[in-house]
Amino acid sequence: MAEGWLCAFLLVQAFLDARTGYVSMPLLLAQTVAGVVDGGLKDVSGTLMVWRFMPGLLLLASSVLSREKIGQGDAWLFVALGVYLSAGQQVILLGVALFLAAVWIILFRRRNVVEKDIELPFVPFVLAAYVGGCCYGWF
């Protein structure tokens, strides 16, 4: 059931990120609450819980240090993903999403379809990576 919630929230977040360029913080809060209510953290010990939120917290620190070259909304999204996915799964998800974004940039940049300094909405790539990962049994 948690996978369905996560996919639905990522779908809405991807749409909003593509349209507005922002991740909805109230929706992230709802996503987190829904994951906790659905039992996303019921079998997770305190130490393991810290590790589950570590990828998102590291992204958040990177966002602050890079003056938001990585959007804080994207970092908060990965913090919220800690309710649904283990740290290892989040690293896989991030790696695949970054790979998909890089392929997209290379393809469209070579054709001069996008400008060099474009702000890229990242959540659609996270959604694509999550759906692909679910198809392969990674999540």
Side-chain angles (χ1 to χ4, degrees), residues 115-138:
E115 296 176 16
K116 183 178 179 182
D117 296 331
I118 188 173
E119 284 191 21
L120 188 65
F122 188 60
V123 183
F125 298 106
V126 174
L127 172 65
Y130 181 72
V131 170
C134 285
C135 290
Y136 281 104
W138 296 340

Side-chain angles (χ1 to χ4, degrees), residues 14-130:
F15 176 77
L16 290 173
D17 192 21
R19 296 280 273 169
T20 66
Y22 293 98
V23 173
S24 169
M25 295 307 279
L27 190 57
L28 274 181
L29 182 60
Q31 173 184 339
T32 304
V33 169
V36 170
V37 168
D38 194 38
L41 296 174
K42 68 179 175 187
D43 296 330
V44 180
S45 68
T47 305
L48 188 58
M49 191 178 302
V50 170
W51 284 109
R52 288 179 76 122
F53 293 110
M54 194 58 66
L57 294 173
L58 289 173
L59 277 176
L60 193 57
S62 298
S63 175
V64 170
L65 292 174
S66 69
R67 296 187 187 125
E68 283 204 60
K69 296 292 182 188
I70 300 169
Q72 283 192 11
D74 299 324
W76 281 111
L77 175 70
F78 273 85
V79 172
L81 287 176
V83 173
Y84 296 89
L85 303 173
S86 70
Q89 289 173 321
Q90 290 178 64
V91 170
I92 290 169
L93 180 65
L94 179 62
V96 173
L98 287 170
F99 174 77
L100 292 174
V103 168
W104 189 89
I105 288 170
I106 290 168
L107 290 176
F108 286 95
R109 186 68 190 114
R110 295 215 8 101
R111 294 181 183 163
N112 292 323
V113 175
V114 295
E115 296 176 16
K116 183 178 179 182
D117 296 331
I118 188 173
E119 284 191 21
L120 188 65
F122 188 60
V123 183
F125 298 106
V126 174
L127 172 65
Y130 181 72

